[in-house]
Amino acid sequence: MVSAPHEAMHRIFQEYPGLFSQLSDVLGLPLPPLVSAEILTVDLTENEPLERRVDTLLRIRTENDGPFLLVVEAQGKQDPGKTASWPYYVTYLNNKYRIPVLLLVVCQDHATAAWAARPLTIGLPQWPTVTTRPLVAGPHNMPVITNVAEARKDLALATLSAITHADNPDVDAILKTMSVALRDAPESIVEPLVEFIAQGLGNRPAAQQWRNLVAVDLSFYTSPLSEEIRDEGRAQGRAQGRAQGRAESVLLLLGARGVAISDRTREKIRTCTDPELLGQWLVRAAVAATGDEIFREDLSADR
């Protein structure tokens, strides 16, 4: 099953094809300035009943050199099957389009990045016939951007950097930098980048940190993520209101019946946030002889 981080690591190139221009400088790959980038179909299936798809495929045009194809593969873990798939992708695309092919692999952990960077050879050990050398972007070579001005220079690159550093100990600082850098950007730019970061963090603890930052620092703009956060906040507020109301009802009923309530019992009732449990306590409060009896689950049956 395709994960959210997997989607974010390659789909950002579909949304911002020019991202590779800045990324190539970061990865030490000298290229002429990009003129254009065109999204191509990712389906590499032939007539045989064997489906093959790359994650993202772009046709890149530069000022001086001819066009080339950029294959972007998001890799969340080591996969021995890629030893056969990646060379196939490169040779198939080169044969189909008759232009050079560059394979970029985006990772989020050092071990996977080191594995992906190994040359893949087809042929004899003493004489490889075909060698595929992926270009790898990951936590080992992507910049850690914690400077707002630097992030604003290229928001797409900064977003990819935040995604690849999802497991970095300083991820909170990275995310805070991104939330501040996005404040003054047009909403059309902010929305996809916020969503890409949310996808890229997956179910990591940092995902909740990003949600909090979006709710506070980017509260002015609307998106599926921000609306989801606000809906959660409203739902939590309603639940808290119901719990507080029921807690006061329990105390009011006990007081009306003249039942003595200790400070410990009063505190336990008022700090409870479970409306269902408070409802049970409210029923027991109608027959309890002491405040602590409302916590007895067998009280209703005894009476």
Side-chain angles (χ1 to χ4, degrees), residues 2 5-21 23-24 27 34 37-44 53-60 68-76 82 86 89-90 93 101-107 116 134-138 142 160 163-164 196:
V2 176
H6 177 278
E7 290 294 283
M9 283 191 286
H10 75 87
R11 284 190 57 249
I12 188 172
F13 288 90
Q14 297 179 18
E15 187 74 24
Y16 299 95
L19 168 61
F20 186 68
S21 179
L23 185 61
S24 62
L27 302 182
L34 270 61
E38 174 189 358
I39 299 176
L40 303 178
T41 177
V42 299
D43 192 347
L44 308 186
R53 292 178 182 271
V54 297
D55 288 333
T56 288
L57 179 61
L58 303 172
R59 187 201 303 268
I60 303 290
F68 67 92
L69 297 179
L70 175 64
V71 181
V72 184
E73 284 281 285
Q75 199 63 36
K82 297 299 182 180
W86 288 343
Y89 297 164
V90 172
L93 290 169
V101 181
L102 178 62
L103 171 63
L104 172 66
V105 181
V106 184
C107 308
L135 183 65
V136 179
M142 290 294 290
L160 181 64
I163 292 171
T164 56
F196 281 135

Side-chain angles (χ1 to χ4, degrees), residues 229-252:
I229 293 171
R230 292 177 189 123
D231 287 343
E232 288 177 357
R234 287 190 285 267
Q236 290 174 358
R238 289 192 293 270
Q240 290 173 357
R242 287 197 301 272
Q244 291 172 358
R246 289 188 178 182
E248 292 304 320
S249 296
V250 172
L251 295 172
L252 183 63

Side-chain angles (χ1 to χ4, degrees), residues 86-145:
W86 288 343
Y88 173 85
Y89 297 164
V90 172
T91 53
Y92 174 85
L93 290 169
N94 179 259
N95 183 65
K96 178 178 179 179
Y97 291 94
R98 301 294 180 177
I99 57 176
V101 181
L102 178 62
L103 171 63
L104 172 66
V105 181
V106 184
C107 308
Q108 290 180 296
D109 68 272
H110 291 272
T112 301
W115 164 82
R118 295 180 300 177
L120 305 174
T121 60
I122 299 176
L124 300 177
Q126 61 272 35
W127 193 271
T129 303
V130 176
T131 300
T132 303
R133 295 179 59 223
L135 183 65
V136 179
H140 65 295
N141 58 5
M142 290 294 290
V144 176
I145 301 177

Side-chain angles (χ1 to χ4, degrees), residues 159-173:
T159 297
L160 181 64
S161 178
I163 292 171
T164 56
H165 287 290
D167 293 318
N168 191 299
D170 295 326
V171 66
D172 286 354

Side-chain angles (χ1 to χ4, degrees), residues 142-162:
M142 290 294 290
V144 176
I145 301 177
T146 55
N147 180 278
V148 174
E150 184 180 356
R152 282 175 174 159
K153 289 180 181 178
D154 193 320
L155 291 171
L157 179 65
T159 297
L160 181 64
S161 178

